[in-house]
């Protein structure tokens, strides 16, 4: 998309060219705050998409290192043709989240529970051993905090989530086979494949709408599977849903939610912005709709 200034200018022009300005963008301050969040979101997505093309230190895969980063580690595994491990690290990133203060430390604590590195192969073949290791971590205390998207999660539910996730994947034999089935169900259409995966992942405990959306968008952005959201999946959303209500100046109900979800899709097309970027931008914009404010973690 180019530099921040160029992207800001392009989005500003595209917004002004809309045949009808959304009611929530009726002032310059509101439009500039919205554009700011769109730029922030686009750049975040671009950052993740670039990761597989970059070189990453082995420390990114090491849970004992302060440099541990599950997304960069996943990109490193993609480059090493170990996609099963990459999928697993993306799940850990989505389930724990990146905390504003603790960073990815909780993901590292799960991956390195009990002093072992819980690779996908090890967890999939011996979940009871992982469960015991995590129980030891709970007893010891000192666990890092969940990220903002996961702020209502509990450390006591981590093993339950891992067990459910591994059962979901192993029901197809591997991540590769599982996502191949979603792509087939979507007729090789990235948005339909994403929808199939989003629906299929509903069986994973502790991964509600936001957790699934984050996990699956990262899967697509890292090139692990040809999937991409075709909508913001407003059902079950909180921040993005409030953002849509703020954007269009309406009260959302069961009867009109689908209509406004379609309007968000149309807006994304008009602005040349993906639904992942819009979902993230709407979530952050509704927190500060009249003033640009960066949100981290």
């Amino acid at each position: 998309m180019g530099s921040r200034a160029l992207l800001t200018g392009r989005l500003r022009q595209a917004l002004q060219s809309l045949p009808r300005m959304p009611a929530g963008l009726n002032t310059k301050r509101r439009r500039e705050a919205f554009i700011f969040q769109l730029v922030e979101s686009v750049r975040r997505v671009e950052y993740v998409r670039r990761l597989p093309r970059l070189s990453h230190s082995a420390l990114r895969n090491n849970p004992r290192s302060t440099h541990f980063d599950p997304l960069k580690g996943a990109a490193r595994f993609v480059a090493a043709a170990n996609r099963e491990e990459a999928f697993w690290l993306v799940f850990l990133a989505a389930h724990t989240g990146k905390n504003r203060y603790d960073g990815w430390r909780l993901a590292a604590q799960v991956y390195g529970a009990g002093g072992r590195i819980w690779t996908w192969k090890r967890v999939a073949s011996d979940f009871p051993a992982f469960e015991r290791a995590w129980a030891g971590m709970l007893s010891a205390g000192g666990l890092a905090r969940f990220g903002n998207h996961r702020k209502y999660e509990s450390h006591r539910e981590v093993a339950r989530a891992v067990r459910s996730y591994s059962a979901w994947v192993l029901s197809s034999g591997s991540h590769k086979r599982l996502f191949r089935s979603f792509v087939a169900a979507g007729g090789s259409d990235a948005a339909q494949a994403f929808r199939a995966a989003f629906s299929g992942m509903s069986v994973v405990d502790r991964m509600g709408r936001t957790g699934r959306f984050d996990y699956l968008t990262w899967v697509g952005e890292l090139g692990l599977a040809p999937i991409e959201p075709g909508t913001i999946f407003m059902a079950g959303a909180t921040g993005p849903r409030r953002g849509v209500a703020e954007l269009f100046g309406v009260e959302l109900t069961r009867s009109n939610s689908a209509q406004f979800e379609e309007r968000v899709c149309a807006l994304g097309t008009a602005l040349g912005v993906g639904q992942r970027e819009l979902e993230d931008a709407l979530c952050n914009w509704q927190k500060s709709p009249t003033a640009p404010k960066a949100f981290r973690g």
Side-chain angles (χ1 to χ4, degrees):
M1 285 272 186
S3 71
R4 177 182 289 271
L6 287 174
L7 177 57
T8 298
R10 186 188 69 74
L11 287 171
R12 186 180 291 127
Q13 183 177 16
L15 200 59
Q16 293 289 0
S17 298
L18 293 176
R20 181 175 61 171
M21 185 68 68
L25 302 179
N26 60 349
T27 68
K28 183 177 180 180
R29 290 183 64 185
R30 282 176 163 266
R31 289 192 294 274
E32 291 302 308
F34 183 65
I35 290 169
F36 174 84
Q37 295 302 344
L38 280 175
V39 171
E40 288 277 287
S41 297
V42 168
R43 290 173 71 87
R44 272 193 288 272
V45 170
E46 286 182 337
Y47 168 79
V48 176
R49 285 178 175 157
R50 282 198 304 268
L51 292 181
R53 302 195 298 270
L54 303 176
S55 177
H56 303 285
S57 165
L59 294 176
R60 299 301 187 183
N61 301 128
N62 186 349
R64 301 182 185 92
S65 170
T66 56
H67 297 289
F68 177 79
D69 184 314
L71 295 182
K72 290 181 179 178
R76 193 165 183 272
F77 281 123
V78 169
N82 187 351
R83 290 177 170 248
E84 292 298 302
E85 194 69 6
F87 274 107
W88 167 231
L89 280 179
V90 172
F91 170 74
L92 292 182
H95 179 59
T96 63
K98 185 178 183 180
N99 184 270
R100 181 177 181 181
Y101 304 103
D102 294 338
W104 292 115
R105 195 157 65 88
L106 181 56
Q109 290 173 328
V110 178
Y111 197 48
R116 302 179 72 180
I117 296 181
W118 291 96
T119 63
W120 170 247
K121 185 176 180 180
R122 181 171 285 163
V123 169
S125 63
D126 193 0
F127 171 77
F130 168 80
E131 193 171 32
R132 290 191 295 271
W134 186 248
M137 297 289 287
L138 287 171
S139 297
L143 293 172
R145 290 164 284 193
F146 286 90
N148 182 58
H149 278 189
R150 311 297 292 159
K151 60 189 175 184
Y152 299 116
E153 287 303 310
S154 165
H155 295 110
R156 295 189 177 279
E157 300 291 350
V158 168
R160 174 184 170 188
V162 171
R163 178 177 63 240
S164 180
Y165 175 78
S166 60
W168 176 58
V169 175
L170 293 174
S171 67
S172 294
S174 66
H175 291 94
K176 180 179 179 180
R177 290 178 180 174
L178 177 65
F179 278 84
R180 184 183 291 165
S181 71
F182 294 139
V183 172
S188 296
D189 177 272
Q192 291 305 316
F194 188 101
R195 184 176 292 278
F198 188 85
S199 176
M201 199 179 182
S202 63
V203 301
V204 179
D205 290 335
R206 314 308 306 170
M207 291 293 281
R209 180 261 172 208
T210 302
R212 283 182 282 157
F213 195 84
D214 285 347
Y215 170 76
L216 294 171
T217 51
W218 280 333
V219 162
E221 288 159 13
L222 288 168
L224 286 166
I227 62 175
E228 183 178 354
T231 75
I232 64 170
F233 288 86
M234 202 155 62
T238 51
R241 186 179 181 85
R242 287 193 290 268
V244 173
E246 183 78 28
L247 180 65
F248 294 110
V250 297
E251 180 179 346
L252 292 173
T253 64
R254 286 187 178 183
S255 61
N256 69 7
S257 288
Q259 171 194 344
F260 283 99
E261 189 168 279
E262 289 178 3
R263 287 185 64 179
V264 172
C265 290
L267 179 63
T269 299
L271 298 180
V273 173
Q275 295 299 299
R276 165 61 157 178
E277 293 91 326
L278 266 176
E279 187 263 1
D280 184 55
L282 285 166
C283 181
N284 287 324
W285 175 70
Q286 57 87 23
K287 300 173 189 175
S288 180
T290 60
K293 185 177 180 181
F295 295 95
R296 302 284 186 267

